[in-house]
Amino acid sequence: MNIRIRGYSLERIFTVKSLAALLIAFMLTPLLLTVHAMLQERYSQAVIEDHLFSRNGYRITGQQQSVKLNFRIDPAYIPKKQGDVFELHKLIYNRNHTKIYLETVAWYNPPQNSDNIYIELKLDPTYLYGKGSFVTDAIFHDDHSFSSVLFMPDYYADNGAKLPINDGNGRNSAFIPVEQLGDLDGGLTLRFEGFNLVKYERE
């Protein structure tokens, strides 16, 4: 009996070669999944980052708080009223296996506090398995601990004048009291030098 489906016989669809390929694929799937899991455990970004920061199998060969940032916030993205939030994700640095983004500019109104313009950066490093470099807001110490660098930029108006801004600072963020930007006409330029350039290698 020769069954045909839409003009093709089962003999033609399910050839010996096709069945052999399916059988090999079926047998290899568990092996491939196991290899993938092993590679993820050894080479994933999260694992390498954890080993770097704990100095587990890696050593820090150099570090320097010298990474310079110089970027402008367009006046269209400087919040003018409560509720203004600009999710920009604008690339402002791309070197040393690290991208830094101007992530968010927002009007921030914490409870029982004055209004602030909130500026947040996002550091996005790529870790290499053998050796490499990356930019971070952490400083590594000889006792295997680490501390943080604060993001403390200087601010400039579009005419080049330095603005006397007294801001609050975090590891990758700054808070500017709204009243200190009240007379700003144009954009806002931030200049900063202080994030840590770290070099590392496997032991």
Side-chain angles (χ1 to χ4, degrees), residues 6-40:
R6 294 185 181 178
Y8 293 92
S9 68
L10 286 178
E11 292 174 352
R12 188 172 179 181
I13 296 173
F14 297 107
T15 64
V16 173
K17 191 176 291 187
S18 298
L19 289 173
L22 287 172
L23 181 60
I24 292 171
F26 179 77
M27 294 173 64
L28 286 178
T29 297
L31 176 62
L32 293 174
L33 290 174
T34 300
V35 171
H36 176 73
M38 292 173 62
L39 291 174
Q40 281 291 100

Side-chain angles (χ1 to χ4, degrees), residues 111-139:
Q112 300 178 341
N113 206 334
S114 60
D115 289 338
N116 293 274
I117 302 302
Y118 172 66
I119 300 170
E120 180 190 24
L121 305 184
K122 178 184 177 182
L123 282 72
D124 185 18
T126 297
Y127 304 110
L128 305 181
Y129 179 74
K131 65 178 181 179
S133 62
F134 66 100
V135 176
T136 179
D137 54 14
I139 303 172

Side-chain angles (χ1 to χ4, degrees), residues 80-134:
K80 300 297 191 297
K81 64 183 184 302
Q82 194 171 141
D84 281 352
V85 178
F86 300 106
E87 302 287 354
L88 301 178
H89 197 65
K90 177 184 177 182
L91 184 65
I92 59 174
Y93 179 94
N94 187 13
R95 290 188 293 279
N96 298 299
H97 308 291
T98 305
K99 294 179 180 179
I100 301 178
Y101 297 91
L102 171 59
E103 191 70 7
T104 305
V105 183
W107 187 293
Y108 180 69
N109 179 240
Q112 300 178 341
N113 206 334
S114 60
D115 289 338
N116 293 274
I117 302 302
Y118 172 66
I119 300 170
E120 180 190 24
L121 305 184
K122 178 184 177 182
L123 282 72
D124 185 18
T126 297
Y127 304 110
L128 305 181
Y129 179 74
K131 65 178 181 179
S133 62
F134 66 100

Side-chain angles (χ1 to χ4, degrees), residues 191-203:
R191 296 175 186 168
F192 174 71
E193 180 176 348
F195 284 144
N196 198 12
L197 172 59
V198 177
K199 297 181 180 180
Y200 62 92
E201 64 183 18
R202 281 190 60 80
E203 291 183 325

